[in-house]
C-alpha cells in the first residue's frame, strides 16, 4: 500500500514511483479449543511490485506474490503443506498530508493435508488436496502530522474478503472423508497509528525508524465445513466442524528504512499479531528502486 519517500526537508513522507521486491517469513500459533486442536503454520512469501505516478499526485501500482506454507497440528494428527499465488492492483491519491488508497486482489492456493487416523484395521493416513480461492478489497485513508524530524500518521483500513474452498474427497480406505464446499465473506475495520522520524546519514542517505500499533475488528470468528464418510449410504448423514478464529486482533510492528543509499531503498521490518486464540510473528526484508 505504500512506497514512501521523505520530501526534500522534514519528516513528511510522500509517494514515489518505484519498483520493489521483498521476502518475508511468518510463524503463527493458534491455541486449541472448542473441541479442536491447536496448530502452527510457517510460511515464506516472495513478492514483487511497483507503482508509477500516472498524473500529478495520482499513483497506480500492482504486485504479485508466491507463498510456501507448512502446517502442523499440536496433537500431530494433522499436517500438510501448500503453495499459493497472489496478485493485486492499487490506486492512490495524495492531497497534501492526506493519502487515499484503494486496492483489489485475488489469490489461489493448493494444499496437501495428511490426517493420521491411528485406528487399528485401517490405513494409517487419509490424504486430502483442498484448493482455496480468495478475493479482497481494501480502502485506506491516512493523515500525516509533522513536527520537526518526527511524524505521526494515523490511518484506517476498511477491508472485504471472500474465500472459497471447493469440495474435495480424501484418498484412503473406508474412513476417508468427502468434504463439502465452503465459503465465507468477512468485513474488517482496522484503525492504526504509525510514529517515525528522520535521521540524516553520511553520503546523503536518510534513515527512517518507525513503529506502529493498531487493532483489527472482523465480522467472523470461525470457519465451518460439512463432511461425511465417502461411500456412506444416502441418508447416512453428515457432520459439521468449525475452526474457531479471532474477531479482534491487536497488531504491532517496527522497522528501519534506509533511502537514497546508492539509489536503492532498504527496509527491515517486524510485524506481530496478538489475539486470545494465538499469535503470529513475521520478519520482512524489502528492497526498492525509485525511478
Amino acid at each position: 500500500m505504500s512506497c514512501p519517500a521523505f520530501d526534500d526537508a522534514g519528516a513528511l513522507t510522500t509517494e514515489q514511483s518505484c519498483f520493489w521486491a521483498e521476502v518475508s517469513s511468518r510463524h503463527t500459533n493458534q491455541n486449541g479449543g472448542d473441541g479442536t486442536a491447536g496448530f502452527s503454520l510457517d510460511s515464506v512469501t516472495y513478492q514483487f511490485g511497483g507503482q508509477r505516478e500516472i498524473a500529478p499526485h495520482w499513483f497506480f501500482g500492482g504486485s504479485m506474490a508466491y507463498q510456501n506454507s507448512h502446517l502442523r497440528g499440536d496433537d500431530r494428527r494433522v499436517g500438510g503443506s501448500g503453495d499459493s499465488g497472489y496478485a493485486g492492483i492499487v490506486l492512490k491519491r495524495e492531497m497534501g498530508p492526506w493519502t487515499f488508497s484503494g486496492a483489489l486482489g485475488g489469490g489461489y492456493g493448493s494444499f496437501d493435508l495428511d490426517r493420521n487416523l491411528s485406528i487399528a484395521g485401517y490405513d494409517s493416513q487419509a490424504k486430502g488436496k483442498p484448493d482455496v480461492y480468495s478475493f479482497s478489497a481494501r480502502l485506506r485513508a491516512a493523515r500525516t502530522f509533522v513536527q520537526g524530524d518526527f511524524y505521526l500518521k494515523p490511518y484506517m483500513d476498511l477491508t472485504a474478503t471472500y474465500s472459497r474452498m471447493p469440495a474435495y474427497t480424501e484418498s484412503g480406505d473406508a474412513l476417508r472423508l468427502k468434504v463439502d464446499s465452503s465459503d465465507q465473506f468477512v468485513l474488517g475495520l482496522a484503525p492504526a497509528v504509525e510514529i517515525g522520524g528522520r535521521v540524516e546519514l553520511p553520503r546523503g542517505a536518510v534513515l527512517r525508524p518507525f513503529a506502529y500499533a493498531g487493532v483489527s475488528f472482523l465480522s467472523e470468528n470461525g470457519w465451518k465445513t460439512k463432511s461425511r464418510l465417502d461411500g456412506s449410504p444416502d441418508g447416512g448423514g453428515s457432520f459439521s466442524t468449525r475452526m474457531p478464529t479471532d474477531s479482534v486482533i491487536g497488531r504491532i510492528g517496527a522497522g528501519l528504512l534506509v533511502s537514497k543509499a546508492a539509489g536503492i531503498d532498504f527496509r527491515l521490518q517486524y510485524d506481530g499479531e496478538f489475539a486470545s486464540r494465538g499469535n503470529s510473528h513475521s520478519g520482512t526484508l524489502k528492497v526498492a528502486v525509485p525511478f
Side-chain angles (χ1 to χ4, degrees):
M1 295 293 287
S2 183
C3 193
F6 282 122
D7 60 8
D8 293 336
L12 180 65
T13 59
T14 60
E15 294 294 323
Q16 62 179 340
S17 298
C18 75
F19 175 82
W20 56 267
E22 70 177 37
V23 57
S24 60
S25 176
R26 178 174 289 273
H27 176 73
T28 300
N29 278 310
Q30 175 152 321
N31 303 323
D34 297 337
T36 62
F39 64 86
S40 63
L41 180 68
D42 294 287
S43 64
V44 177
T45 304
Y46 306 91
Q47 189 170 2
F48 69 92
Q51 67 177 28
R52 185 178 183 87
E53 189 172 14
I54 57 176
H57 307 294
W58 284 92
F59 292 83
F60 179 78
S63 174
M64 298 184 69
Y66 161 76
Q67 182 182 86
N68 177 256
S69 56
H70 295 269
L71 171 74
R72 186 182 67 177
D74 292 346
D75 58 3
R76 300 186 181 276
R77 296 189 63 183
V78 176
S81 62
D83 298 285
S84 304
Y86 305 91
I89 56 175
V90 63
L91 180 66
K92 306 174 187 178
R93 166 65 167 161
E94 286 188 321
M95 301 176 63
W98 287 92
T99 303
F100 300 94
S101 308
L104 296 173
Y108 164 76
S110 180
F111 304 89
D112 294 306
L113 295 179
D114 298 328
R115 188 167 59 90
N116 296 317
L117 301 177
S118 301
I119 300 177
Y122 293 94
D123 288 347
S124 60
Q125 282 188 340
K127 298 180 179 292
K129 292 183 174 294
D131 297 326
V132 178
Y133 302 85
S134 64
F135 304 92
S136 63
R138 174 182 293 184
L139 298 175
R140 171 177 291 183
R143 170 67 157 89
T144 303
F145 300 89
V146 176
Q147 182 64 46
D149 290 333
F150 297 91
Y151 72 88
L152 182 71
K153 183 171 74 173
Y155 57 92
M156 177 78 74
D157 284 357
L158 176 64
T159 60
T161 303
Y162 174 77
S163 302
R164 177 176 176 80
M165 182 183 72
Y168 70 94
T169 301
E170 293 180 325
S171 62
D173 57 18
L175 292 182
R176 64 182 182 267
L177 294 178
K178 185 175 183 179
V179 183
D180 291 349
S181 62
S182 56
D183 61 357
Q184 187 177 77
F185 180 75
V186 181
L187 291 174
L189 185 67
V193 60
E194 178 183 314
I195 186 171
R198 174 174 179 151
V199 180
E200 302 293 336
L201 298 177
R203 300 183 180 180
V206 181
L207 172 67
R208 179 169 71 93
F210 63 90
Y212 73 87
V215 61
S216 292
F217 303 95
L218 305 177
S219 61
E220 298 289 341
N221 62 357
W223 181 283
K224 296 179 181 179
T225 57
K226 182 180 291 186
S227 309
R228 60 180 55 83
L229 289 173
D230 186 39
S232 61
D234 293 340
S238 61
F239 59 91
S240 297
T241 58
R242 180 178 182 273
M243 183 183 73
T245 58
D246 289 290
S247 58
V248 180
I249 304 171
R251 303 180 188 275
I252 61 172
L256 298 171
L257 171 65
V258 178
S259 59
K260 300 181 181 179
I264 301 176
D265 296 350
F266 301 90
R267 188 182 78 188
L268 186 64
Q269 183 169 336
Y270 161 79
D271 298 282
E273 300 179 356
F274 302 88
S276 61
R277 295 187 180 276
N279 56 76
S280 182
H281 308 271
S282 73
T284 301
L285 175 63
K286 181 176 182 178
V287 178
V289 180
F291 61 89

